[in-house]
Amino acid sequence: MRGNFGDHEQRLNDPSAAEHGQDSEKLVGRNRHPDFTKVQASRPDWEHTRSWHLTKTVDPDWKLGRGANDGGENLNKKHVAIDPYEDGRPAVFNYKLLISAIVPRPIGFVSTRSEDGKSTNLAPFSYTQVINHDPPLFTIGFAGGFSNAKDTLTNLAATRECTINIISEHFIEAANATSINAPHGRSEWALSGLTPAPCTDVKCSRVKEAVFSVEGKLFSTQEFESRATPGKKTGVLAVVEGIRFWVREDALNEDKNLVDPAVLRPMSRLGGIMYGRTLEGIELPRPDWEDKQASKEMDGLIKPKVEGQPAQPGVPNSIRTPDCTVMNTEPIKKVLGGGPTGHFPVEAEIVGYLANSYSVPTLLGLFAAGWAVILGATNLLVKRHNPTLRAGDKAAILWFVLTGIIHLFFEGYFSYNHTRMAGQQDFFGQLWKEYAWSDSRYLTSDPFVLCMETVTAIYGDILYYATSMFDHYYKGVTYCRPEAYYFWGYYFFMNFIWIVIPGYLLYSSFEASGRAFKALAKETRSQQGNGYTKKHS
């Protein structure tokens, strides 16, 4: 097995420019050449004469059932299983492994503008892909979380606009220059020498040199947390909807539905500091079942899907590959990750979701600090106006102040914003989205949840529990993520206190009322007795 390329120092830490705000290249070590200028000078010149062309496939006579076209040579090679979280393995190893294996990757050359319009940004992202055509949707992956976002993510989250430009051969050096670790406020456009061009529907510029560009609006975001270090935010996925395309005229066909690769000449990202050219292609028609069946080519090959895939003992719905890797084939609804936004059930339609920019400790800390101020001030007022008030009565006053403000402002906020809750980024919105990990209905304008929060009371929480349990046990629909703290901390505890404390206060009220009625009855009897005595004396 080949050794690492100068990775010894990486074992001492877990570097990432977006996470630490430091020089990404010096920390990650993508460039394995001490003197790259010298290495490049020793290589052949760029071949300008090479052009896009099509060739035959490796085996033009390949038939169904033949398998790989290398005569089985690859089956004689051994595989190495890698645990991404094994002891002593820093996260940067996974990064370097993945960018060298998942290749070639298209490069999204992303242009953004700040909310105040005073700053622009231009940067390449190889975690970019098109994922849907109606609506046109694109993904962009960012390293690090919202709390330490760099300019592109900051601008995108604030303005919800960007352009995605495809990098071609004729400006690859200029595009690469925009990845420089420039100080904040310095223009990548100027350093690259590229030309900003106006757009129609977004305020940020597209790259005029690009053969193909997309004007985009932010559709949703999802922030990711480290598996190795819980609580640490390690990445953000942005989904962008394309609202207008720009294509260079000589690259577009008459029907405006094909881009000529000979004109586009796209560059792709490989591992390390490598880029790839796209100069050759092959064409392979998609096989048709009926045609292949009629030609007898499938004779003896039509078998059940489970044949040849022995299940792992004790694990249903799984298969074992030749190198002993176990692959789980349970339906997607069983997967821990939830739906596209991470919520459950996986089919929940959460439109326009934006991941929180505040961390959970920050949200809870601000929430607690706010209540400390409100309840502290209330306690001082109570002491000032009634210093002899009993502790239990003081606690009841504080409780009613807390519930009154929550019902009026916090739950009132939810009732007013329920249709757009998934995209709310203010403090109350992010609090509700954090709670929604325990019940995704808070992000889908669920009628029952809306009514319950609008006119909440003890019976509302009882119905809340009852309907949730009914859906879970009788319909098999779960709205809470599987982590225990979302269920017990958010869903159970944060609702149970609205049953226990009001229930106790009601009980205390009944007890006090009972004592008062008894005292009144005793006093009445006493007065009646005194009156009777005076009357007959």
Side-chain angles (χ1 to χ4, degrees), residues 407-426:
H407 293 337
L408 183 61
F409 295 102
F410 190 54
E411 291 172 351
Y413 172 94
F414 174 81
S415 299
Y416 182 75
N417 293 288
H418 69 94
T419 59
R420 49 185 177 271
M421 188 59 65
Q424 295 295 95
Q425 287 294 82
D426 52 41

Side-chain angles (χ1 to χ4, degrees), residues 461-469 491-493 495-496 499:
D461 279 315
I462 294 174
L463 286 175
Y464 179 59
Y465 282 144
T467 55
S468 298
M469 293 301 101
Y491 173 79
F492 179 79
F493 176 75
N495 290 286
F496 193 62
I499 296 176

Side-chain angles (χ1 to χ4, degrees), residues 255-493:
D255 291 332
K256 297 182 180 180
N257 63 7
L258 287 176
V259 175
D260 186 352
V263 179
L264 182 61
R265 298 179 75 92
M267 297 295 293
S268 61
R269 205 68 164 88
L270 307 176
I273 60 173
M274 289 187 288
Y275 291 84
R277 299 177 75 181
T278 304
L279 293 174
E280 291 185 0
I282 61 171
E283 291 184 320
L284 281 170
R286 181 174 296 185
D288 179 79
W289 179 271
E290 293 182 356
D291 289 347
K292 294 296 183 182
Q293 199 169 34
S295 69
K296 307 296 184 181
E297 190 176 334
M298 295 194 300
D299 288 356
L301 299 176
I302 303 176
K303 300 177 180 180
K305 286 190 175 183
V306 296
E307 186 168 329
Q309 309 290 331
Q312 180 189 19
V315 181
N317 301 306
S318 67
I319 62 174
R320 187 185 293 275
T321 63
D323 61 354
C324 297
T325 302
V326 176
M327 180 185 299
N328 190 1
T329 59
E330 282 283 345
I332 188 171
K333 69 171 66 175
K334 303 291 186 182
V335 178
L336 181 64
T341 61
H343 295 83
F344 283 77
V346 294
E347 62 270 15
E349 295 185 6
I350 301 175
V351 180
Y353 180 78
L354 288 176
N356 282 349
S357 58
Y358 290 137
S359 66
V360 176
T362 300
L363 283 173
L364 297 181
L366 291 173
F367 186 73
W371 277 118
V373 172
I374 293 172
L375 296 182
T378 303
N379 188 50
L380 290 175
L381 288 174
V382 170
K383 285 184 177 180
R384 179 177 179 181
H385 289 282
N386 194 342
T388 61
L389 194 65
R390 294 185 309 164
D393 292 332
K394 288 181 182 178
I397 290 174
L398 294 177
W399 169 258
F400 285 119
V401 168
L402 183 147
T403 55
I405 291 177
I406 284 181
H407 293 337
L408 183 61
F409 295 102
F410 190 54
E411 291 172 351
Y413 172 94
F414 174 81
S415 299
Y416 182 75
N417 293 288
H418 69 94
T419 59
R420 49 185 177 271
M421 188 59 65
Q424 295 295 95
Q425 287 294 82
D426 52 41
F427 179 60
F428 275 5
Q430 294 195 41
L431 278 174
W432 277 115
K433 286 193 292 180
E434 178 60 27
Y435 177 78
W437 290 117
S438 71
D439 191 339
S440 64
R441 292 179 294 176
Y442 281 83
L443 302 181
T444 60
S445 291
D446 180 81
F448 171 76
V449 169
L450 175 62
C451 293
M452 184 199 69
E453 292 296 343
T454 304
V455 289
T456 188
I458 292 179
Y459 71 88
D461 279 315
I462 294 174
L463 286 175
Y464 179 59
Y465 282 144
T467 55
S468 298
M469 293 301 101
F470 180 86
D471 284 345
H472 177 75
Y473 287 108
Y474 289 93
K475 294 184 179 180
V477 177
T478 299
Y479 302 105
C480 180
R481 281 193 58 82
E483 292 85 353
Y485 56 87
Y486 287 127
F487 178 83
W488 293 108
Y490 291 5
Y491 173 79
F492 179 79
F493 176 75

Side-chain angles (χ1 to χ4, degrees), residues 139-273:
T139 57
I140 306 172
F142 298 88
F146 279 108
S147 61
N148 44 31
K150 299 185 81 172
D151 289 347
T152 298
L153 180 55
T154 299
N155 293 345
L156 180 59
T159 66
R160 305 181 68 83
E161 294 183 350
C162 72
T163 68
I164 301 174
N165 308 270
I166 297 302
I167 297 175
S168 298
E169 292 178 6
H170 61 275
F171 64 97
I172 179 60
E173 296 89 352
N176 181 69
T178 64
S179 64
I180 191 171
N181 56 332
H184 180 71
R186 301 299 184 266
S187 171
E188 294 84 7
W189 286 94
L191 293 171
S192 70
L194 293 172
T195 310
C199 292
T200 302
D201 300 307
V202 300
K203 295 178 181 178
C204 47
S205 303
R206 58 187 172 88
V207 178
K208 191 171 185 179
E209 286 82 356
V211 176
F212 182 78
S213 300
V214 178
E215 294 185 29
K217 295 276 190 177
L218 184 61
F219 183 83
S220 66
T221 60
Q222 173 66 47
E223 190 173 44
F224 301 111
E225 185 173 299
S226 170
R227 300 287 194 205
T229 312
K232 177 183 178 182
K233 304 302 182 182
T234 54
V236 173
L237 171 70
V239 180
V240 173
E241 179 178 353
I243 57 174
R244 188 173 298 274
F245 308 132
W246 292 82
V247 189
R248 209 171 79 184
E249 191 175 31
D250 59 336
L252 191 62
N253 69 343
E254 187 175 346
D255 291 332
K256 297 182 180 180
N257 63 7
L258 287 176
V259 175
D260 186 352
V263 179
L264 182 61
R265 298 179 75 92
M267 297 295 293
S268 61
R269 205 68 164 88
L270 307 176
I273 60 173

